[in-house]
Amino acid sequence: MSDANDPWLIVGLGNPGPEYAANRHNVGFMVADLLAERIGGRFKRAPKAQAQVLEGRIGPPGPLSRRVVVAKPMSYMNLSGGPVTALRDFYKVPLDHVVAVHDELDIDYGTLRLKLDGGDNGHNGLKSMTKSMGPGYHRIRFGIGRPPGRMQVADFVLKDFSSTERKELAFLVDRAADSVECLLAEGLERAQSAYNS
């Protein structure tokens, strides 16, 4: 069983490379980047894993401060499980201290849902993580909505947010980063009641 001194691994899911940076599928990277900014550090190459990491603390000084590793796997989305498992092993992170931040098609744009455990709902990043280490990790699901008309899901997630969506995006990414901090400091139930909409 994990305890308060165990580190947390916050994984923003996305695809590496500038051509993917503003895609809907990369909202996990956007949240990871903001958390890194708040911690006040820079990502560096991870030891023993195909990922970029930043080590630091999240939360107010004192007993609510948590040791964290914020990570962006540098494999493609459908291979995220390998780098995440390597990071978990290297930093000795219990499974219930892993948090995946990812885009979610089945939720309206900008809606957040926090949960522990569960299926992958067709998300290739989660599918790879669950195959690699089991399903008992936290998820912060960032709603991107369904594709319009007959657009294929793959095309939709690999497109940039629309100009209308971008007006709210910074605020929504900020809120998702807040939800990570709340989860770590106050636990899942408190974070769900504050951020699940």
Side-chain angles (χ1 to χ4, degrees):
M1 201 55 206
S2 53
D3 72 37
N5 297 318
D6 286 322
W8 286 79
L9 176 59
I10 313 301
V11 181
L13 290 177
N15 285 308
E19 68 273 33
Y20 299 107
N23 288 179
R24 293 182 176 94
H25 222 17
N26 270 43
V27 75
F29 273 19
M30 296 172 198
V31 175
D33 286 337
L34 180 57
L35 287 168
E37 209 177 288
R38 290 181 180 185
I39 291 167
R42 287 172 174 257
F43 283 100
K44 61 183 198 298
R45 276 186 61 167
K48 316 258 193 229
Q50 191 183 354
Q52 290 186 346
V53 292
L54 167 71
E55 297 175 58
R57 298 194 82 84
I58 280 181
L64 293 181
S65 172
R66 299 286 180 257
R67 193 156 63 93
V68 296
V69 178
V70 180
K72 298 192 293 186
M74 289 289 114
S75 61
Y76 284 102
M77 177 75 86
N78 60 344
L79 300 171
S80 302
V84 175
T85 302
L87 290 171
R88 226 193 109 203
D89 293 346
F90 182 80
Y91 289 104
K92 300 180 171 47
V93 178
L95 185 56
D96 66 350
H97 276 211
V98 175
V99 182
V101 184
H102 64 92
D103 59 303
E104 177 63 66
L105 285 160
D106 286 337
I107 304 175
D108 290 341
Y109 174 65
T111 301
L112 291 178
R113 295 269 165 78
L114 286 76
K115 66 183 227 177
L116 174 63
D117 211 344
D120 57 57
N121 214 13
H123 192 287
N124 288 330
L126 297 181
K127 200 176 284 184
S128 178
M129 282 179 62
T130 299
K131 186 177 176 190
S132 195
M133 53 188 199
Y137 54 91
H138 287 87
R139 299 104 195 274
I140 294 183
R141 303 156 73 202
F142 186 110
I144 60 169
R146 301 294 303 179
R150 296 188 173 178
M151 187 188 286
Q152 293 295 311
V153 164
D155 295 334
F156 179 69
V157 300
L158 294 176
K159 276 201 171 11
D160 292 358
F161 285 100
S162 70
S163 55
T164 310
E165 289 169 335
R166 281 199 297 273
K167 288 178 184 150
E168 283 189 285
L169 185 59
F171 166 76
L172 297 169
V173 167
D174 196 62
R175 193 164 179 271
D178 289 347
S179 78
V180 173
E181 295 189 358
C182 183
L183 170 65
L184 271 54
E186 302 184 51
L188 180 61
E189 278 185 37
R190 186 66 191 269
Q192 284 174 325
S193 66
Y195 292 96
N196 278 15
S197 40

mmCIF file of all heavy atoms in Angstrom, residues 13-30:
data_model
loop_
_atom_site.group_PDB
_atom_site.id
_atom_site.type_symbol
_atom_site.label_atom_id
_atom_site.label_comp_id
_atom_site.label_asym_id
_atom_site.label_seq_id
_atom_site.Cartn_x
_atom_site.Cartn_y
_atom_site.Cartn_z
ATOM 1 N N LEU A 13 -0.224 12.647 -21.548
ATOM 2 C CA LEU A 13 -0.150 11.824 -22.757
ATOM 3 C C LEU A 13 -0.232 12.694 -24.008
ATOM 4 O O LEU A 13 -0.987 13.664 -24.058
ATOM 5 C CB LEU A 13 -1.270 10.787 -22.765
ATOM 6 C CG LEU A 13 -1.133 9.663 -21.731
ATOM 7 C CD1 LEU A 13 -2.334 8.727 -21.790
ATOM 8 C CD2 LEU A 13 0.154 8.873 -21.921
ATOM 9 N N GLY A 14 0.561 12.340 -25.012
ATOM 10 C CA GLY A 14 0.581 13.084 -26.258
ATOM 11 C C GLY A 14 1.518 12.422 -27.246
ATOM 12 O O GLY A 14 2.033 11.323 -26.989
ATOM 13 N N ASN A 15 1.732 13.080 -28.365
ATOM 14 C CA ASN A 15 2.696 12.622 -29.366
ATOM 15 C C ASN A 15 3.847 13.625 -29.425
ATOM 16 O O ASN A 15 3.609 14.831 -29.396
ATOM 17 C CB ASN A 15 2.037 12.533 -30.752
ATOM 18 C CG ASN A 15 1.133 11.324 -30.878
ATOM 19 O OD1 ASN A 15 1.532 10.203 -30.599
ATOM 20 N ND2 ASN A 15 -0.108 11.552 -31.296
ATOM 21 N N PRO A 16 5.098 13.130 -29.517
ATOM 22 C CA PRO A 16 6.228 14.053 -29.575
ATOM 23 C C PRO A 16 6.341 14.713 -30.949
ATOM 24 O O PRO A 16 5.901 14.157 -31.950
ATOM 25 C CB PRO A 16 7.431 13.142 -29.309
ATOM 26 C CG PRO A 16 7.000 11.791 -29.788
ATOM 27 C CD PRO A 16 5.514 11.719 -29.564
ATOM 28 N N GLY A 17 6.932 15.895 -30.980
ATOM 29 C CA GLY A 17 7.196 16.571 -32.255
ATOM 30 C C GLY A 17 6.326 17.792 -32.440
ATOM 31 O O GLY A 17 5.159 17.798 -32.037
ATOM 32 N N PRO A 18 6.893 18.843 -33.054
ATOM 33 C CA PRO A 18 6.177 20.114 -33.194
ATOM 34 C C PRO A 18 4.899 20.016 -34.020
ATOM 35 O O PRO A 18 3.952 20.773 -33.800
ATOM 36 C CB PRO A 18 7.205 21.038 -33.876
ATOM 37 C CG PRO A 18 8.267 20.135 -34.420
ATOM 38 C CD PRO A 18 8.252 18.892 -33.598
ATOM 39 N N GLU A 19 4.841 19.066 -34.960
ATOM 40 C CA GLU A 19 3.643 18.964 -35.798
ATOM 41 C C GLU A 19 2.409 18.514 -35.008
ATOM 42 O O GLU A 19 1.278 18.689 -35.454
ATOM 43 C CB GLU A 19 3.890 18.035 -37.003
ATOM 44 C CG GLU A 19 4.080 16.568 -36.660
ATOM 45 C CD GLU A 19 5.516 16.166 -36.330
ATOM 46 O OE1 GLU A 19 6.262 16.982 -35.757
ATOM 47 O OE2 GLU A 19 5.876 15.016 -36.628
ATOM 48 N N TYR A 20 2.623 17.912 -33.827
ATOM 49 C CA TYR A 20 1.504 17.432 -33.006
ATOM 50 C C TYR A 20 1.188 18.365 -31.834
ATOM 51 O O TYR A 20 0.186 18.179 -31.145
ATOM 52 C CB TYR A 20 1.822 16.042 -32.424
ATOM 53 C CG TYR A 20 2.045 14.974 -33.461
ATOM 54 C CD1 TYR A 20 3.331 14.480 -33.710
ATOM 55 C CD2 TYR A 20 0.978 14.444 -34.188
ATOM 56 C CE1 TYR A 20 3.541 13.489 -34.668
ATOM 57 C CE2 TYR A 20 1.186 13.459 -35.143
ATOM 58 C CZ TYR A 20 2.463 12.984 -35.375
ATOM 59 O OH TYR A 20 2.669 12.010 -36.310
ATOM 60 N N ALA A 21 2.040 19.356 -31.602
ATOM 61 C CA ALA A 21 2.013 20.111 -30.341
ATOM 62 C C ALA A 21 0.650 20.700 -29.989
ATOM 63 O O ALA A 21 0.251 20.696 -28.825
ATOM 64 C CB ALA A 21 3.069 21.210 -30.371
ATOM 65 N N ALA A 22 -0.089 21.207 -30.972
ATOM 66 C CA ALA A 22 -1.366 21.875 -30.676
ATOM 67 C C ALA A 22 -2.581 20.983 -30.949
ATOM 68 O O ALA A 22 -3.721 21.442 -30.896
ATOM 69 C CB ALA A 22 -1.471 23.169 -31.481
ATOM 70 N N ASN A 23 -2.343 19.688 -31.225
ATOM 71 C CA ASN A 23 -3.448 18.746 -31.497
ATOM 72 C C ASN A 23 -4.306 18.505 -30.253
ATOM 73 O O ASN A 23 -3.814 18.578 -29.124
ATOM 74 C CB ASN A 23 -2.904 17.378 -31.914
ATOM 75 C CG ASN A 23 -2.287 17.321 -33.294
ATOM 76 O OD1 ASN A 23 -1.820 16.258 -33.693
ATOM 77 N ND2 ASN A 23 -2.249 18.424 -34.025
ATOM 78 N N ARG A 24 -5.555 18.127 -30.490
ATOM 79 C CA ARG A 24 -6.428 17.736 -29.365
ATOM 80 C C ARG A 24 -5.823 16.571 -28.574
ATOM 81 O O ARG A 24 -5.953 16.512 -27.358
ATOM 82 C CB ARG A 24 -7.808 17.327 -29.894
ATOM 83 C CG ARG A 24 -8.600 18.476 -30.495
ATOM 84 C CD ARG A 24 -9.971 18.012 -30.965
ATOM 85 N NE ARG A 24 -10.762 19.135 -31.445
ATOM 86 C CZ ARG A 24 -10.833 19.504 -32.720
ATOM 87 N NH1 ARG A 24 -10.168 18.827 -33.651
ATOM 88 N NH2 ARG A 24 -11.562 20.544 -33.073
ATOM 89 N N HIS A 25 -5.189 15.653 -29.293
ATOM 90 C CA HIS A 25 -4.608 14.462 -28.658
ATOM 91 C C HIS A 25 -3.467 14.824 -27.698
ATOM 92 O O HIS A 25 -3.030 13.986 -26.917
ATOM 93 C CB HIS A 25 -4.071 13.543 -29.766
ATOM 94 C CG HIS A 25 -4.358 12.084 -29.564
ATOM 95 N ND1 HIS A 25 -5.318 11.595 -28.694
ATOM 96 C CD2 HIS A 25 -3.802 10.980 -30.134
ATOM 97 C CE1 HIS A 25 -5.332 10.269 -28.752
ATOM 98 N NE2 HIS A 25 -4.426 9.876 -29.605
ATOM 99 N N ASN A 26 -2.969 16.058 -27.784
ATOM 100 C CA ASN A 26 -1.802 16.455 -26.986
ATOM 101 C C ASN A 26 -2.157 17.310 -25.780
ATOM 102 O O ASN A 26 -1.274 17.922 -25.179
ATOM 103 C CB ASN A 26 -0.784 17.194 -27.865
ATOM 104 C CG ASN A 26 0.196 16.224 -28.493
ATOM 105 O OD1 ASN A 26 -0.215 15.175 -28.966
ATOM 106 N ND2 ASN A 26 1.468 16.549 -28.483
ATOM 107 N N VAL A 27 -3.420 17.325 -25.381
ATOM 108 C CA VAL A 27 -3.791 18.164 -24.255
ATOM 109 C C VAL A 27 -3.094 17.699 -22.970
ATOM 110 O O VAL A 27 -2.797 18.507 -22.084
ATOM 111 C CB VAL A 27 -5.337 18.247 -24.114
ATOM 112 C CG1 VAL A 27 -5.920 16.962 -23.542
ATOM 113 C CG2 VAL A 27 -5.742 19.463 -23.306
ATOM 114 N N GLY A 28 -2.771 16.413 -22.886
ATOM 115 C CA GLY A 28 -2.020 15.924 -21.721
ATOM 116 C C GLY A 28 -0.645 16.578 -21.615
ATOM 117 O O GLY A 28 -0.191 16.944 -20.522
ATOM 118 N N PHE A 29 0.021 16.750 -22.770
ATOM 119 C CA PHE A 29 1.316 17.453 -22.784
ATOM 120 C C PHE A 29 1.131 18.900 -22.330
ATOM 121 O O PHE A 29 1.977 19.453 -21.627
ATOM 122 C CB PHE A 29 1.907 17.454 -24.202
ATOM 123 C CG PHE A 29 2.731 16.237 -24.557
ATOM 124 C CD1 PHE A 29 2.631 15.057 -23.855
ATOM 125 C CD2 PHE A 29 3.612 16.289 -25.639
ATOM 126 C CE1 PHE A 29 3.381 13.939 -24.208
ATOM 127 C CE2 PHE A 29 4.377 15.187 -25.995
ATOM 128 C CZ PHE A 29 4.262 14.008 -25.283
ATOM 129 N N MET A 30 0.031 19.536 -22.762
ATOM 130 C CA MET A 30 -0.208 20.938 -22.400
ATOM 131 C C MET A 30 -0.334 21.094 -20.885
ATOM 132 O O MET A 30 0.213 22.030 -20.291
ATOM 133 C CB MET A 30 -1.470 21.460 -23.101
ATOM 134 C CG MET A 30 -1.368 21.493 -24.613
ATOM 135 S SD MET A 30 -2.977 21.910 -25.393
ATOM 136 C CE MET A 30 -2.694 21.343 -27.076
#
